[in-house]
Amino acid sequence: MSRNTLTNETWSRLLPILKQLGIYRKKNLRKTVEGILFRLRTGCQWADIPSYFGKANSLY
């Protein structure tokens, strides 16, 4: 199973919306968003999110 939950097309449509909302463009923003989506999809605890997505406290 691929860890990416966002296709390139979806990400290219989502990024302008995030910028419009004032979300700044950090280099791993896509992984951060994917980590949040992973937690929402699985229902796991923040601390149990795989390290691939970044530190849990950064995602939270």
Side-chain angles (χ1 to χ4, degrees), residues 33-34 47 50:
V33 171
E34 288 177 347

Side-chain angles (χ1 to χ4, degrees), residues 15-52:
L15 186 56
I17 295 169
L18 293 175
K19 287 182 179 180
Q20 185 178 17
L21 293 172
I23 306 296
Y24 67 98
R25 178 74 167 118
K26 57 183 184 176
K27 71 177 185 177
N28 60 350
L29 180 60
R30 183 172 177 166
K31 278 189 181 182
T32 300
V33 171
E34 288 177 347
I36 293 167
L37 293 174
F38 176 85
R39 190 213 180 254
L40 292 171
R41 187 176 64 249
T42 63
C44 71
Q45 298 294 315
W46 285 109
D48 296 333
I49 294 176
S51 61
Y52 168 81

